[in-house]
Amino acid sequence: ADNKVYRASTTAPVNIAVVKYWGKRDPKLNLPTNSSISVTLSQADLRTLTTASCSASFDGDSLTLNGQASDISGARTQACFRELRARRAALEAADSSLPKLSTLPLKIVSENNFPTAAGLASSAAGFAALVRAIANLYELTDSPSELSLIARQGSGSACRSLFGGYVAWRMGDKADGTDSKADLISEASHWPNMRALILVVNAAKKDVPSTSGMQQTVATSGLFQQRISQVVPANMILMEEAIRKKDFPQFAEVTMRESNSFHACAADTYPPIFYMNDASRAAIRAVEAINAQAGKTIAAYTYDAGPNCVIYFLEEDEATVVGAFHRFLSGVSGWKASAAEAKSSVELPE
Ligand code: PMV
């Protein structure tokens, strides 16, 4: 038998939503109840590096994450493998000179360049890198938007990590999900002085996973109905406009209101879900103090399904914002003493 090993590597960035995805209208296909927008962080600071290989000599499909064997039997990973193999099989059917890779066992090896202990959601970069690595291995010609349809089935937010810069995930309205995909709003170079500071909380408690948190919110929160019918549609328009105009105060206000709205819906579920803790709330007050002192909005906070904080600001305000956080956090219990210093600013990719 031919035991040749075929191989391809790629990286994918972390993205942090400024209009939040929260709620599935179809949990199996990961179809969302609303559109969302994210900012892609610099791959120099936060990225997943993934190598995909396939060979008749492998024992079966496998996935290694940060050196540890990972379970691939889950429906999400299986959906990505199945969709990518089907696309490769279509190429092979059209061109008989191509090697038959679609039937060979796959070996995926994936590593994050940021500590897992940072508690940052890494599934977005993880599934985006997995999909792109296999697409490269199979020499698929699909566009990033088309690949985002596959990554979405691994983890919803992963569909936005197929692009750098400012990215929208359009919810779509088809039942089969073929129009629920990501597209680029602007390259990072459109607004190159955007920066992100990541503040890491010492969290003892395990957070409610996003899938069950979303399910509970859709099922029990009344506030959530207003969020998806009115709040998010208005914020999508305001956020795209803020990005297009490079209007930081508008970008910041929508970002903070979106984070507040998402966490209010989580708290409105029954029983309530609390992702933020006292340290998270203290950082919100710190951002308010920074903005009050500056006399204008120069910093914006946002929180995902956990207590860690991401602060957006512009490069020209870096000394003010990062300096204030460093002074402030050293006196607040619950924050890692070195967080503001150690994480420093995360630049967007060129
Ligand atoms: O992609 P998931 O299923 O891990 O969900 C991500 C949800 C949030 O991070 C809270 C919001 C978002 O849009 O990324």
Side-chain angles (χ1 to χ4, degrees):
D2 179 6
N3 279 344
K4 185 171 172 188
V5 177
Y6 299 84
R7 183 177 286 118
S9 292
T10 193
T11 61
V14 168
N15 74 75
I16 303 292
V18 289
V19 174
K20 300 293 187 191
Y21 153 49
W22 195 253
K24 299 177 203 263
R25 67 177 198 271
D26 181 332
K28 201 165 160 279
L29 288 172
N30 268 349
L31 300 181
T33 51
N34 57 268
S35 296
S36 56
I37 295 177
S38 61
V39 179
T40 307
L41 302 185
S42 165
Q43 296 207 44
D45 297 288
L46 303 166
R47 55 110 183 103
T48 302
L49 166 66
T50 297
T51 299
S53 43
C54 62
S55 169
S57 66
F58 296 164
D59 250 355
D61 295 343
S62 68
L63 170 61
T64 306
L65 264 180
N66 293 325
Q68 301 232 299
S70 182
D71 181 22
I72 52 153
S73 64
R76 307 282 179 72
T77 311
Q78 287 300 318
C80 292
F81 283 5
R82 190 174 58 241
E83 295 252 340
L84 290 158
R85 282 192 161 115
R87 280 168 168 73
R88 172 68 190 185
L91 293 183
E92 291 166 0
D95 179 354
S96 60
S97 72
L98 289 175
K100 301 272 177 292
L101 304 187
S102 60
T103 53
L104 298 180
L106 279 164
K107 184 191 286 183
I108 315 295
V109 178
S110 198
E111 299 221 359
N112 297 329
N113 70 340
F114 49 96
T116 332
L120 290 162
S122 52
S123 67
F127 273 108
L130 177 140
V131 167
R132 265 209 9 213
I134 300 174
N136 290 353
L137 173 71
Y138 288 170
E139 298 184 332
L140 303 184
T141 52
D142 301 61
S143 67
S145 239
E146 289 166 327
L147 292 179
S148 81
L149 289 165
I150 304 176
R152 188 203 73 226
Q153 297 176 56
S155 168
S157 58
C159 76
R160 299 185 309 240
S161 273
L162 268 305
F163 295 92
Y166 303 84
V167 185
W169 172 11
R170 316 281 177 195
M171 63 182 288
D173 57 18
K174 291 190 183 163
D176 66 1
T178 49
D179 59 352
S180 187
K181 57 187 172 183
D183 66 43
L184 186 68
I185 296 175
S186 303
E187 302 279 358
S189 58
H190 163 72
W191 202 352
N193 49 338
M194 181 68 78
R195 295 291 181 274
L197 171 69
I198 295 162
L199 305 172
V200 180
V201 173
N202 283 317
K205 184 177 135 277
K206 186 92 186 78
D207 300 316
V208 179
S210 60
T211 297
S212 48
M214 288 186 203
Q215 195 256 324
Q216 193 175 314
T217 307
V218 174
T220 73
S221 168
L223 195 52
F224 175 74
Q225 296 307 324
Q226 194 212 351
R227 170 170 166 75
I228 60 172
S229 63
Q230 292 165 48
V231 177
V232 175
N235 283 343
M236 284 295 293
I237 292 167
L238 288 170
M239 182 54 79
E240 284 196 61
E241 184 186 78
I243 292 167
R244 214 173 43 245
K245 295 190 309 193
K246 294 183 269 186
D247 181 336
F248 188 82
Q250 182 168 330
F251 170 91
E253 181 172 340
V254 177
T255 296
M256 293 187 279
R257 284 182 178 276
E258 265 295 311
S259 177
N260 297 347
S261 163
F262 152 47
H263 290 280
C265 289
D268 187 48
T269 64
Y270 193 78
I273 300 170
F274 303 119
Y275 287 116
M276 292 191 289
N277 61 21
D278 287 348
S280 314
R281 285 185 283 274
I284 291 180
R285 292 294 181 225
V287 168
E288 288 172 344
I290 289 167
N291 290 337
Q293 196 155 29
K296 58 180 179 169
T297 307
I298 61 169
Y301 57 80
T302 187
Y303 296 81
D304 283 334
N308 295 328
C309 184
V310 174
I311 307 283
Y312 287 110
F313 58 94
L314 297 179
E315 186 187 21
E316 51 268 38
D317 297 315
E318 174 154 357
T320 311
V321 173
V322 178
F325 265 101
H326 194 234
R327 276 196 311 282
F328 171 79
L329 294 181
S330 51
V332 176
S333 80
W335 289 105
K336 288 188 178 169
S338 60
E341 201 168 42
K343 290 286 146 195
S344 83
S345 63
V346 174
E347 287 178 39
L348 293 163
E350 287 309 302

